PDB file of all heavy atoms in Angstrom:
ATOM      1  N   HIS A1236      16.178 144.421 -43.709  1.00  0.00           N
ATOM      2  CA  HIS A1236      15.546 144.251 -42.399  1.00  0.00           C
ATOM      3  C   HIS A1236      14.622 145.391 -41.952  1.00  0.00           C
ATOM      4  O   HIS A1236      13.788 145.171 -41.075  1.00  0.00           O
ATOM      5  CB  HIS A1236      16.634 144.062 -41.329  1.00  0.00           C
ATOM      6  CG  HIS A1236      17.540 142.900 -41.587  1.00  0.00           C
ATOM      7  ND1 HIS A1236      17.122 141.597 -41.493  1.00  0.00           N
ATOM      8  CD2 HIS A1236      18.845 142.851 -41.956  1.00  0.00           C
ATOM      9  CE1 HIS A1236      18.124 140.787 -41.779  1.00  0.00           C
ATOM     10  NE2 HIS A1236      19.186 141.518 -42.075  1.00  0.00           N
ATOM     11  N   GLY A1237      14.773 146.581 -42.520  1.00  0.00           N
ATOM     12  CA  GLY A1237      14.004 147.697 -41.986  1.00  0.00           C
ATOM     13  C   GLY A1237      13.005 148.344 -42.930  1.00  0.00           C
ATOM     14  O   GLY A1237      11.966 148.846 -42.490  1.00  0.00           O
ATOM     15  N   ALA A1238      13.289 148.337 -44.224  1.00  0.00           N
ATOM     16  CA  ALA A1238      12.505 149.127 -45.178  1.00  0.00           C
ATOM     17  C   ALA A1238      11.030 148.760 -45.190  1.00  0.00           C
ATOM     18  O   ALA A1238      10.162 149.648 -45.226  1.00  0.00           O
ATOM     19  CB  ALA A1238      13.096 148.965 -46.586  1.00  0.00           C
ATOM     20  N   ASP A1239      10.719 147.487 -45.149  1.00  0.00           N
ATOM     21  CA  ASP A1239       9.318 147.066 -45.241  1.00  0.00           C
ATOM     22  C   ASP A1239       8.482 147.555 -44.065  1.00  0.00           C
ATOM     23  O   ASP A1239       7.260 147.691 -44.180  1.00  0.00           O
ATOM     24  CB  ASP A1239       9.227 145.533 -45.317  1.00  0.00           C
ATOM     25  CG  ASP A1239       9.697 145.003 -46.660  1.00  0.00           C
ATOM     26  OD1 ASP A1239       9.749 145.796 -47.620  1.00  0.00           O
ATOM     27  OD2 ASP A1239      10.023 143.803 -46.739  1.00  0.00           O
ATOM     28  N   TYR A1240       9.146 147.840 -42.941  1.00  0.00           N
ATOM     29  CA  TYR A1240       8.427 148.297 -41.751  1.00  0.00           C
ATOM     30  C   TYR A1240       8.431 149.819 -41.608  1.00  0.00           C
ATOM     31  O   TYR A1240       7.580 150.385 -40.932  1.00  0.00           O
ATOM     32  CB  TYR A1240       9.059 147.685 -40.492  1.00  0.00           C
ATOM     33  CG  TYR A1240       8.884 146.194 -40.390  1.00  0.00           C
ATOM     34  CD1 TYR A1240       9.805 145.327 -40.977  1.00  0.00           C
ATOM     35  CD2 TYR A1240       7.796 145.644 -39.713  1.00  0.00           C
ATOM     36  CE1 TYR A1240       9.646 143.945 -40.887  1.00  0.00           C
ATOM     37  CE2 TYR A1240       7.631 144.281 -39.619  1.00  0.00           C
ATOM     38  CZ  TYR A1240       8.554 143.427 -40.212  1.00  0.00           C
ATOM     39  OH  TYR A1240       8.382 142.074 -40.122  1.00  0.00           O
ATOM     40  N   PHE A1241       9.408 150.470 -42.242  1.00  0.00           N
ATOM     41  CA  PHE A1241       9.600 151.914 -42.018  1.00  0.00           C
ATOM     42  C   PHE A1241       9.019 152.790 -43.121  1.00  0.00           C
ATOM     43  O   PHE A1241       8.709 153.954 -42.873  1.00  0.00           O
ATOM     44  CB  PHE A1241      11.098 152.198 -41.881  1.00  0.00           C
ATOM     45  CG  PHE A1241      11.416 153.561 -41.321  1.00  0.00           C
ATOM     46  CD1 PHE A1241      10.960 153.947 -40.065  1.00  0.00           C
ATOM     47  CD2 PHE A1241      12.194 154.458 -42.048  1.00  0.00           C
ATOM     48  CE1 PHE A1241      11.269 155.202 -39.545  1.00  0.00           C
ATOM     49  CE2 PHE A1241      12.505 155.712 -41.534  1.00  0.00           C
ATOM     50  CZ  PHE A1241      12.039 156.081 -40.275  1.00  0.00           C
ATOM     51  N   LYS A1242       8.860 152.269 -44.311  1.00  0.00           N
ATOM     52  CA  LYS A1242       8.376 153.101 -45.413  1.00  0.00           C
ATOM     53  C   LYS A1242       6.983 153.640 -45.102  1.00  0.00           C
ATOM     54  O   LYS A1242       6.203 153.036 -44.339  1.00  0.00           O
ATOM     55  CB  LYS A1242       8.372 152.317 -46.715  1.00  0.00           C
ATOM     56  CG  LYS A1242       7.546 151.050 -46.712  1.00  0.00           C
ATOM     57  CD  LYS A1242       7.766 150.265 -48.006  1.00  0.00           C
ATOM     58  CE  LYS A1242       6.950 148.986 -48.016  1.00  0.00           C
ATOM     59  NZ  LYS A1242       7.199 148.176 -49.234  1.00  0.00           N
ATOM     60  N   ALA A1243       6.661 154.768 -45.719  1.00  0.00           N
ATOM     61  CA  ALA A1243       5.459 155.523 -45.354  1.00  0.00           C
ATOM     62  C   ALA A1243       4.172 154.721 -45.462  1.00  0.00           C
ATOM     63  O   ALA A1243       3.273 154.851 -44.634  1.00  0.00           O
ATOM     64  CB  ALA A1243       5.370 156.783 -46.212  1.00  0.00           C
ATOM     65  N   ASP A1244       4.069 153.892 -46.481  1.00  0.00           N
ATOM     66  CA  ASP A1244       2.823 153.162 -46.708  1.00  0.00           C
ATOM     67  C   ASP A1244       2.886 151.722 -46.208  1.00  0.00           C
ATOM     68  O   ASP A1244       2.128 150.859 -46.660  1.00  0.00           O
ATOM     69  CB  ASP A1244       2.467 153.170 -48.193  1.00  0.00           C
ATOM     70  CG  ASP A1244       3.577 152.587 -49.060  1.00  0.00           C
ATOM     71  OD1 ASP A1244       4.687 152.371 -48.526  1.00  0.00           O
ATOM     72  OD2 ASP A1244       3.341 152.349 -50.265  1.00  0.00           O
ATOM     73  N   SER A1245       3.774 151.446 -45.276  1.00  0.00           N
ATOM     74  CA  SER A1245       3.943 150.073 -44.808  1.00  0.00           C
ATOM     75  C   SER A1245       2.700 149.569 -44.066  1.00  0.00           C
ATOM     76  O   SER A1245       2.202 150.221 -43.149  1.00  0.00           O
ATOM     77  CB  SER A1245       5.144 149.969 -43.865  1.00  0.00           C
ATOM     78  OG  SER A1245       5.214 148.673 -43.300  1.00  0.00           O
ATOM     79  N   PRO A1246       2.203 148.384 -44.455  1.00  0.00           N
ATOM     80  CA  PRO A1246       1.056 147.795 -43.762  1.00  0.00           C
ATOM     81  C   PRO A1246       1.493 146.908 -42.597  1.00  0.00           C
ATOM     82  O   PRO A1246       0.645 146.335 -41.895  1.00  0.00           O
ATOM     83  CB  PRO A1246       0.401 146.956 -44.863  1.00  0.00           C
ATOM     84  CG  PRO A1246       1.569 146.479 -45.667  1.00  0.00           C
ATOM     85  CD  PRO A1246       2.600 147.601 -45.641  1.00  0.00           C
ATOM     86  N   LEU A1247       2.813 146.795 -42.388  1.00  0.00           N
ATOM     87  CA  LEU A1247       3.335 145.855 -41.410  1.00  0.00           C
ATOM     88  C   LEU A1247       3.479 146.476 -40.036  1.00  0.00           C
ATOM     89  O   LEU A1247       3.838 147.648 -39.903  1.00  0.00           O
ATOM     90  CB  LEU A1247       4.698 145.322 -41.866  1.00  0.00           C
ATOM     91  CG  LEU A1247       4.728 144.596 -43.216  1.00  0.00           C
ATOM     92  CD1 LEU A1247       6.163 144.208 -43.560  1.00  0.00           C
ATOM     93  CD2 LEU A1247       3.830 143.368 -43.183  1.00  0.00           C
ATOM     94  N   ASP A1248       3.195 145.699 -39.012  1.00  0.00           N
ATOM     95  CA  ASP A1248       3.440 146.089 -37.627  1.00  0.00           C
ATOM     96  C   ASP A1248       4.681 145.365 -37.124  1.00  0.00           C
ATOM     97  O   ASP A1248       4.981 144.242 -37.551  1.00  0.00           O
ATOM     98  CB  ASP A1248       2.251 145.714 -36.739  1.00  0.00           C
ATOM     99  CG  ASP A1248       0.991 146.501 -37.098  1.00  0.00           C
ATOM    100  OD1 ASP A1248       1.137 147.702 -37.414  1.00  0.00           O
ATOM    101  OD2 ASP A1248      -0.102 145.917 -37.065  1.00  0.00           O
ATOM    102  N   LEU A1249       5.392 145.991 -36.209  1.00  0.00           N
ATOM    103  CA  LEU A1249       6.570 145.351 -35.647  1.00  0.00           C
ATOM    104  C   LEU A1249       6.160 144.137 -34.812  1.00  0.00           C
ATOM    105  O   LEU A1249       5.061 144.107 -34.245  1.00  0.00           O
ATOM    106  CB  LEU A1249       7.332 146.340 -34.764  1.00  0.00           C
ATOM    107  CG  LEU A1249       8.029 147.487 -35.493  1.00  0.00           C
ATOM    108  CD1 LEU A1249       8.625 148.460 -34.502  1.00  0.00           C
ATOM    109  CD2 LEU A1249       9.107 146.961 -36.420  1.00  0.00           C
ATOM    110  N   PRO A1250       7.038 143.124 -34.724  1.00  0.00           N
ATOM    111  CA  PRO A1250       6.740 141.953 -33.890  1.00  0.00           C
ATOM    112  C   PRO A1250       6.437 142.366 -32.449  1.00  0.00           C
ATOM    113  O   PRO A1250       7.037 143.304 -31.922  1.00  0.00           O
ATOM    114  CB  PRO A1250       8.035 141.135 -33.975  1.00  0.00           C
ATOM    115  CG  PRO A1250       8.663 141.550 -35.257  1.00  0.00           C
ATOM    116  CD  PRO A1250       8.335 143.011 -35.411  1.00  0.00           C
ATOM    117  N   LEU A1251       5.522 141.654 -31.799  1.00  0.00           N
ATOM    118  CA  LEU A1251       5.030 142.066 -30.475  1.00  0.00           C
ATOM    119  C   LEU A1251       5.366 141.076 -29.359  1.00  0.00           C
ATOM    120  O   LEU A1251       4.635 140.969 -28.377  1.00  0.00           O
ATOM    121  CB  LEU A1251       3.511 142.254 -30.537  1.00  0.00           C
ATOM    122  CG  LEU A1251       3.012 143.378 -31.455  1.00  0.00           C
ATOM    123  CD1 LEU A1251       1.489 143.387 -31.498  1.00  0.00           C
ATOM    124  CD2 LEU A1251       3.544 144.726 -30.980  1.00  0.00           C
ATOM    125  N   ASP A1252       6.460 140.349 -29.481  1.00  0.00           N
ATOM    126  CA  ASP A1252       6.888 139.403 -28.443  1.00  0.00           C
ATOM    127  C   ASP A1252       5.866 138.298 -28.206  1.00  0.00           C
ATOM    128  O   ASP A1252       5.721 137.800 -27.083  1.00  0.00           O
ATOM    129  CB  ASP A1252       7.151 140.138 -27.113  1.00  0.00           C
ATOM    130  CG  ASP A1252       8.304 141.109 -27.201  1.00  0.00           C
ATOM    131  OD1 ASP A1252       9.029 141.059 -28.203  1.00  0.00           O
ATOM    132  OD2 ASP A1252       8.481 141.913 -26.275  1.00  0.00           O
ATOM    133  N   GLU A1253       5.134 137.930 -29.235  1.00  0.00           N
ATOM    134  CA  GLU A1253       4.136 136.873 -29.070  1.00  0.00           C
ATOM    135  C   GLU A1253       4.744 135.482 -29.195  1.00  0.00           C
ATOM    136  O   GLU A1253       4.162 134.504 -28.754  1.00  0.00           O
ATOM    137  CB  GLU A1253       3.020 137.053 -30.097  1.00  0.00           C
ATOM    138  CG  GLU A1253       2.202 138.321 -29.876  1.00  0.00           C
ATOM    139  CD  GLU A1253       1.139 138.535 -30.938  1.00  0.00           C
ATOM    140  OE1 GLU A1253       1.222 137.839 -31.986  1.00  0.00           O
ATOM    141  OE2 GLU A1253       0.252 139.364 -30.733  1.00  0.00           O
ATOM    142  N   LYS A1254       5.915 135.402 -29.807  1.00  0.00           N
ATOM    143  CA  LYS A1254       6.569 134.097 -29.926  1.00  0.00           C
ATOM    144  C   LYS A1254       8.077 134.278 -29.832  1.00  0.00           C
ATOM    145  O   LYS A1254       8.585 135.409 -29.892  1.00  0.00           O
ATOM    146  CB  LYS A1254       6.199 133.426 -31.241  1.00  0.00           C
ATOM    147  CG  LYS A1254       6.578 134.182 -32.499  1.00  0.00           C
ATOM    148  CD  LYS A1254       6.118 133.427 -33.741  1.00  0.00           C
ATOM    149  CE  LYS A1254       6.577 134.109 -35.036  1.00  0.00           C
ATOM    150  NZ  LYS A1254       5.984 135.436 -35.181  1.00  0.00           N
ATOM    151  N   MET A1255       8.759 133.169 -29.657  1.00  0.00           N
ATOM    152  CA  MET A1255      10.209 133.192 -29.497  1.00  0.00           C
ATOM    153  C   MET A1255      10.876 133.907 -30.678  1.00  0.00           C
ATOM    154  O   MET A1255      10.572 133.621 -31.834  1.00  0.00           O
ATOM    155  CB  MET A1255      10.733 131.755 -29.412  1.00  0.00           C
ATOM    156  CG  MET A1255      12.231 131.659 -29.161  1.00  0.00           C
ATOM    157  SD  MET A1255      12.674 132.193 -27.501  1.00  0.00           S
ATOM    158  CE  MET A1255      11.976 130.847 -26.526  1.00  0.00           C
ATOM    159  N   GLY A1256      11.733 134.836 -30.362  1.00  0.00           N
ATOM    160  CA  GLY A1256      12.483 135.550 -31.394  1.00  0.00           C
ATOM    161  C   GLY A1256      11.885 136.872 -31.810  1.00  0.00           C
ATOM    162  O   GLY A1256      12.535 137.660 -32.497  1.00  0.00           O
ATOM    163  N   ASP A1257      10.645 137.159 -31.384  1.00  0.00           N
ATOM    164  CA  ASP A1257      10.003 138.409 -31.785  1.00  0.00           C
ATOM    165  C   ASP A1257      10.760 139.630 -31.258  1.00  0.00           C
ATOM    166  O   ASP A1257      10.911 140.632 -31.970  1.00  0.00           O
ATOM    167  CB  ASP A1257       8.555 138.458 -31.288  1.00  0.00           C
ATOM    168  CG  ASP A1257       7.598 137.712 -32.211  1.00  0.00           C
ATOM    169  OD1 ASP A1257       8.048 137.239 -33.266  1.00  0.00           O
ATOM    170  OD2 ASP A1257       6.404 137.603 -31.871  1.00  0.00           O
ATOM    171  N   PHE A1258      11.212 139.561 -30.020  1.00  0.00           N
ATOM    172  CA  PHE A1258      11.916 140.707 -29.435  1.00  0.00           C
ATOM    173  C   PHE A1258      13.193 141.006 -30.221  1.00  0.00           C
ATOM    174  O   PHE A1258      13.467 142.157 -30.573  1.00  0.00           O
ATOM    175  CB  PHE A1258      12.253 140.430 -27.969  1.00  0.00           C
ATOM    176  CG  PHE A1258      13.084 141.511 -27.335  1.00  0.00           C
ATOM    177  CD1 PHE A1258      12.506 142.705 -26.938  1.00  0.00           C
ATOM    178  CD2 PHE A1258      14.458 141.343 -27.158  1.00  0.00           C
ATOM    179  CE1 PHE A1258      13.280 143.715 -26.359  1.00  0.00           C
ATOM    180  CE2 PHE A1258      15.229 142.340 -26.587  1.00  0.00           C
ATOM    181  CZ  PHE A1258      14.642 143.526 -26.189  1.00  0.00           C
ATOM    182  N   GLN A1259      13.972 139.957 -30.505  1.00  0.00           N
ATOM    183  CA  GLN A1259      15.212 140.153 -31.254  1.00  0.00           C
ATOM    184  C   GLN A1259      14.928 140.674 -32.658  1.00  0.00           C
ATOM    185  O   GLN A1259      15.662 141.520 -33.175  1.00  0.00           O
ATOM    186  CB  GLN A1259      15.990 138.834 -31.331  1.00  0.00           C
ATOM    187  CG  GLN A1259      16.623 138.395 -30.018  1.00  0.00           C
ATOM    188  CD  GLN A1259      15.639 137.690 -29.095  1.00  0.00           C
ATOM    189  OE1 GLN A1259      14.458 137.516 -29.433  1.00  0.00           O
ATOM    190  NE2 GLN A1259      16.128 137.279 -27.935  1.00  0.00           N
ATOM    191  N   ASN A1260      13.865 140.181 -33.282  1.00  0.00           N
ATOM    192  CA  ASN A1260      13.514 140.649 -34.627  1.00  0.00           C
ATOM    193  C   ASN A1260      13.123 142.123 -34.617  1.00  0.00           C
ATOM    194  O   ASN A1260      13.492 142.884 -35.520  1.00  0.00           O
ATOM    195  CB  ASN A1260      12.362 139.818 -35.196  1.00  0.00           C
ATOM    196  CG  ASN A1260      12.795 138.420 -35.595  1.00  0.00           C
ATOM    197  OD1 ASN A1260      13.974 138.188 -35.863  1.00  0.00           O
ATOM    198  ND2 ASN A1260      11.857 137.481 -35.619  1.00  0.00           N
ATOM    199  N   ARG A1261      12.376 142.528 -33.601  1.00  0.00           N
ATOM    200  CA  ARG A1261      11.989 143.935 -33.513  1.00  0.00           C
ATOM    201  C   ARG A1261      13.214 144.824 -33.306  1.00  0.00           C
ATOM    202  O   ARG A1261      13.338 145.895 -33.903  1.00  0.00           O
ATOM    203  CB  ARG A1261      10.989 144.144 -32.368  1.00  0.00           C
ATOM    204  CG  ARG A1261      10.424 145.578 -32.343  1.00  0.00           C
ATOM    205  CD  ARG A1261       9.294 145.748 -31.348  1.00  0.00           C
ATOM    206  NE  ARG A1261       9.756 145.767 -29.982  1.00  0.00           N
ATOM    207  CZ  ARG A1261       9.536 144.803 -29.091  1.00  0.00           C
ATOM    208  NH1 ARG A1261       8.864 143.714 -29.447  1.00  0.00           N
ATOM    209  NH2 ARG A1261       9.984 144.897 -27.866  1.00  0.00           N
ATOM    210  N   GLN A1262      14.134 144.364 -32.451  1.00  0.00           N
ATOM    211  CA  GLN A1262      15.363 145.119 -32.234  1.00  0.00           C
ATOM    212  C   GLN A1262      16.196 145.219 -33.512  1.00  0.00           C
ATOM    213  O   GLN A1262      16.781 146.265 -33.797  1.00  0.00           O
ATOM    214  CB  GLN A1262      16.188 144.445 -31.125  1.00  0.00           C
ATOM    215  CG  GLN A1262      15.577 144.534 -29.749  1.00  0.00           C
ATOM    216  CD  GLN A1262      15.578 145.949 -29.210  1.00  0.00           C
ATOM    217  OE1 GLN A1262      16.627 146.584 -29.112  1.00  0.00           O
ATOM    218  NE2 GLN A1262      14.408 146.457 -28.877  1.00  0.00           N
ATOM    219  N   LEU A1263      16.222 144.140 -34.289  1.00  0.00           N
ATOM    220  CA  LEU A1263      16.975 144.148 -35.549  1.00  0.00           C
ATOM    221  C   LEU A1263      16.361 145.128 -36.540  1.00  0.00           C
ATOM    222  O   LEU A1263      17.078 145.867 -37.228  1.00  0.00           O
ATOM    223  CB  LEU A1263      17.002 142.740 -36.149  1.00  0.00           C
ATOM    224  CG  LEU A1263      17.719 142.580 -37.498  1.00  0.00           C
ATOM    225  CD1 LEU A1263      19.164 143.058 -37.421  1.00  0.00           C
ATOM    226  CD2 LEU A1263      17.666 141.118 -37.959  1.00  0.00           C
ATOM    227  N   ILE A1264      15.045 145.177 -36.599  1.00  0.00           N
ATOM    228  CA  ILE A1264      14.354 146.097 -37.507  1.00  0.00           C
ATOM    229  C   ILE A1264      14.666 147.544 -37.146  1.00  0.00           C
ATOM    230  O   ILE A1264      15.032 148.356 -38.004  1.00  0.00           O
ATOM    231  CB  ILE A1264      12.833 145.843 -37.473  1.00  0.00           C
ATOM    232  CG1 ILE A1264      12.499 144.478 -38.086  1.00  0.00           C
ATOM    233  CG2 ILE A1264      12.086 146.953 -38.218  1.00  0.00           C
ATOM    234  CD1 ILE A1264      11.106 143.995 -37.753  1.00  0.00           C
ATOM    235  N   THR A1265      14.534 147.876 -35.873  1.00  0.00           N
ATOM    236  CA  THR A1265      14.767 149.263 -35.446  1.00  0.00           C
ATOM    237  C   THR A1265      16.238 149.642 -35.619  1.00  0.00           C
ATOM    238  O   THR A1265      16.555 150.782 -35.969  1.00  0.00           O
ATOM    239  CB  THR A1265      14.336 149.478 -33.990  1.00  0.00           C
ATOM    240  OG1 THR A1265      15.034 148.559 -33.124  1.00  0.00           O
ATOM    241  CG2 THR A1265      12.848 149.245 -33.827  1.00  0.00           C
ATOM    242  N   PHE A1266      17.132 148.680 -35.393  1.00  0.00           N
ATOM    243  CA  PHE A1266      18.556 148.939 -35.573  1.00  0.00           C
ATOM    244  C   PHE A1266      18.883 149.188 -37.046  1.00  0.00           C
ATOM    245  O   PHE A1266      19.648 150.092 -37.382  1.00  0.00           O
ATOM    246  CB  PHE A1266      19.365 147.755 -35.045  1.00  0.00           C
ATOM    247  CG  PHE A1266      20.846 147.881 -35.258  1.00  0.00           C
ATOM    248  CD1 PHE A1266      21.590 148.812 -34.543  1.00  0.00           C
ATOM    249  CD2 PHE A1266      21.509 147.065 -36.164  1.00  0.00           C
ATOM    250  CE1 PHE A1266      22.959 148.932 -34.734  1.00  0.00           C
ATOM    251  CE2 PHE A1266      22.872 147.177 -36.366  1.00  0.00           C
ATOM    252  CZ  PHE A1266      23.596 148.111 -35.644  1.00  0.00           C
ATOM    253  N   ALA A1267      18.271 148.403 -37.929  1.00  0.00           N
ATOM    254  CA  ALA A1267      18.508 148.571 -39.370  1.00  0.00           C
ATOM    255  C   ALA A1267      18.053 149.948 -39.839  1.00  0.00           C
ATOM    256  O   ALA A1267      18.717 150.602 -40.657  1.00  0.00           O
ATOM    257  CB  ALA A1267      17.779 147.472 -40.146  1.00  0.00           C
ATOM    258  N   VAL A1268      16.925 150.407 -39.324  1.00  0.00           N
ATOM    259  CA  VAL A1268      16.412 151.733 -39.676  1.00  0.00           C
ATOM    260  C   VAL A1268      17.340 152.816 -39.126  1.00  0.00           C
ATOM    261  O   VAL A1268      17.648 153.810 -39.805  1.00  0.00           O
ATOM    262  CB  VAL A1268      14.979 151.914 -39.144  1.00  0.00           C
ATOM    263  CG1 VAL A1268      14.511 153.359 -39.311  1.00  0.00           C
ATOM    264  CG2 VAL A1268      14.026 150.959 -39.856  1.00  0.00           C
ATOM    265  N   GLN A1269      17.793 152.631 -37.906  1.00  0.00           N
ATOM    266  CA  GLN A1269      18.706 153.597 -37.291  1.00  0.00           C
ATOM    267  C   GLN A1269      19.981 153.762 -38.113  1.00  0.00           C
ATOM    268  O   GLN A1269      20.415 154.889 -38.401  1.00  0.00           O
ATOM    269  CB  GLN A1269      19.066 153.127 -35.878  1.00  0.00           C
ATOM    270  CG  GLN A1269      20.120 153.969 -35.181  1.00  0.00           C
ATOM    271  CD  GLN A1269      20.673 153.282 -33.942  1.00  0.00           C
ATOM    272  OE1 GLN A1269      20.033 152.410 -33.351  1.00  0.00           O
ATOM    273  NE2 GLN A1269      21.862 153.654 -33.552  1.00  0.00           N
TER     274      GLN A1269
END
Side-chain angles (χ1 to χ4, degrees):
H1236 302 291
D1239 288 341
Y1240 293 88
F1241 194 59
K1242 58 187 180 183
D1244 57 349
S1245 174
L1247 301 177
D1248 294 322
L1249 290 174
L1251 296 176
D1252 295 349
E1253 294 177 346
K1254 60 182 184 296
M1255 183 70 70
D1257 277 355
F1258 175 77
Q1259 288 82 0
N1260 287 336
R1261 187 172 74 250
Q1262 291 292 303
L1263 178 57
I1264 292 164
T1265 57
F1266 176 70
V1268 171
Q1269 174 194 337

